[in-house]
Amino acid sequence: MRVLVTGATGFVGSRLVPALIEAGHDVRVLTRDADGYDGPAGEVCEGDILDAGTFEHALEGIDAAYYLIHSMESGTDFAARDRRAAHNFQRAASEAGIDRVLYLGGLGETRQGLSEHLMSRREVETILAEGAYDLTTLRAAIIVGEGSSSFAMVEQLVHRLPVMITPKWVRTECQPIAIADVIAYLVGCLDVPETAGDTFEIGGPEVLTYRELLEHTAAIADRSLFVLPVPVLSPKLSAYWVDLVTDIPKAVAHPLILGLKNTVVVDDTRIEELVPIERTDFTTAVERALGRQAEPAATERAERARVEPER
């Protein structure tokens, strides 16, 4: 299949491209700097989805496209930028006659009062769904892997703070997922027609509170950590506190911290039947993210996608 990957230099895209190639697809990437792209690809196209008229050529002759664009690093206007990019891409992909678009969004129920970050992900999903193609959306919570902004924030906190004073969000539940599993689902959906035009939730095998996530990560990293929840520390104050002890850019850290109030747990497990994989446990995912275990090669991911689902 002829496939376009946007966001090919990012945390997810840089792993997705080689996996798609290994699965036998003809992969084209879209990047703002073609000369600076050093990853694999059958073809590299230059353009900026925020700038209509510069990227449409990359969609010519493409069967399916992965939309992995987000603008959190741009600052407080990230939602507006994401909205414009999604509209530009939806229009161009529709006009190009693309059959399928696959989008990686965020878990979270709208009735819970989603954070601006998660609301933006949901808005992008809505805009993309208006296109003249079949949209497949995968919604994920924290993705664990080297290069993940959310996991980098967790890792730095547990390495730099032996005692952590936290607000009540540490009791919020989440369902982290290993980056290898995200890639396996993204690649696997392309070969399963039943996933076209539908939305699925993906997560790892364990549901943890954020306190448990922090404590488990600290234990795996051989760090001592004491978490002290207090009722008076708001998520907004937590965001400023994170600024002091991590080097995660404010534009990224603040939306992530403010989203910790939302429970992000899989309710719909249909993907496990349609794209069965052997899901990675949290300990293994963290060990890989910390460089203590190697991530599976693309060939191993392809084999894992054929394993029977857990019952």
Side-chain angles (χ1 to χ4, degrees):
M1 191 178 295
R2 295 165 297 179
V3 181
L4 174 70
V5 177
T6 67
T9 60
F11 167 56
V12 176
S14 61
R15 291 167 169 84
L16 177 61
V17 170
L20 287 168
I21 293 173
E22 188 67 34
H25 297 289
D26 181 7
V27 181
R28 179 186 298 170
V29 303
L30 175 65
T31 176
R32 286 178 292 184
D33 180 14
D35 292 335
Y37 180 77
D38 60 358
E43 184 180 357
V44 180
C45 291
E46 186 170 286
D48 187 347
I49 289 179
L50 281 167
D51 189 3
T54 69
F55 70 89
E56 287 81 352
H57 61 286
L59 291 161
E60 295 175 4
I62 291 297
D63 300 310
Y66 286 86
Y67 190 83
L68 303 175
I69 303 294
H70 69 80
S71 305
M72 272 207 304
E73 293 184 2
S74 66
T76 55
D77 65 342
F78 72 88
R81 291 168 64 87
D82 279 345
R83 186 180 308 119
R84 185 166 86 248
H87 277 299
N88 287 344
F89 182 84
Q90 182 261 108
R91 172 192 53 78
S94 296
E95 292 177 355
I98 301 294
D99 294 325
R100 294 189 62 183
V101 170
L102 296 94
Y103 170 61
L104 180 62
L107 270 176
E109 292 295 327
T110 53
R111 65 175 180 268
Q112 296 175 336
L114 294 183
S115 67
E116 185 180 7
H117 161 56
L118 289 176
M119 281 295 293
S120 177
R121 291 293 179 96
R122 199 57 51 82
E123 182 181 25
V124 167
E125 180 182 322
T126 300
I127 293 169
L128 293 177
E130 296 171 352
Y133 45 73
D134 290 324
L135 175 68
T136 298
T137 297
L138 298 182
R139 295 175 179 171
I142 290 179
I143 301 176
V144 181
E146 184 181 3
S148 163
S149 296
S150 53
F151 182 73
M153 187 166 60
V154 170
E155 180 186 0
Q156 290 185 29
L157 286 172
V158 302
H159 273 86
R160 299 178 183 181
L161 289 177
V163 177
M164 197 176 300
I165 300 174
T166 59
K168 62 182 181 181
W169 56 251
V170 293
R171 297 192 291 270
T172 303
E173 289 186 327
C174 65
Q175 194 165 350
I177 182 170
I179 180 58
D181 295 358
V182 173
I183 299 302
Y185 279 129
L186 285 169
V187 175
C189 281
L190 201 56
D191 295 323
V192 180
E194 292 84 354
T195 63
D198 208 340
T199 298
F200 301 95
E201 299 175 348
I202 59 175
E206 295 126 311
V207 174
L208 306 170
T209 65
Y210 282 108
R211 177 174 184 167
E212 291 170 334
L213 186 148
L214 289 163
E215 291 174 337
H216 288 2
T217 301
I220 296 165
D222 299 321
R223 310 292 295 187
S224 60
L225 174 67
F226 179 72
V227 177
L228 178 62
V230 295
V232 294
L233 189 62
S234 71
K236 184 169 289 188
L237 287 175
S238 297
Y240 292 114
W241 169 67
V242 167
D243 290 341
L244 297 175
V245 294
T246 77
D247 56 17
I248 307 299
K250 290 182 181 180
V252 175
H254 286 210
L256 291 175
I257 287 290
L258 295 176
L260 296 179
K261 65 178 182 177
N262 298 116
T263 299
V264 282
V265 174
V266 171
D267 292 320
D268 178 1
T269 60
R270 289 175 300 136
I271 193 67
E272 295 176 27
E273 296 292 334
L274 293 168
V275 185
I277 69 169
E278 184 180 9
R279 294 183 297 167
T280 306
D281 63 87
F282 182 70
T283 297
T284 300
V286 173
E287 288 179 343
R288 289 174 178 167
L290 297 178
R292 299 187 177 186
Q293 286 192 39
E295 285 194 16
T299 50
E300 185 179 341
R301 281 192 293 264
E303 288 299 319
R304 290 172 61 245
R306 290 191 282 271
V307 174
E308 286 299 315
E310 297 174 357
R311 300 293 183 181

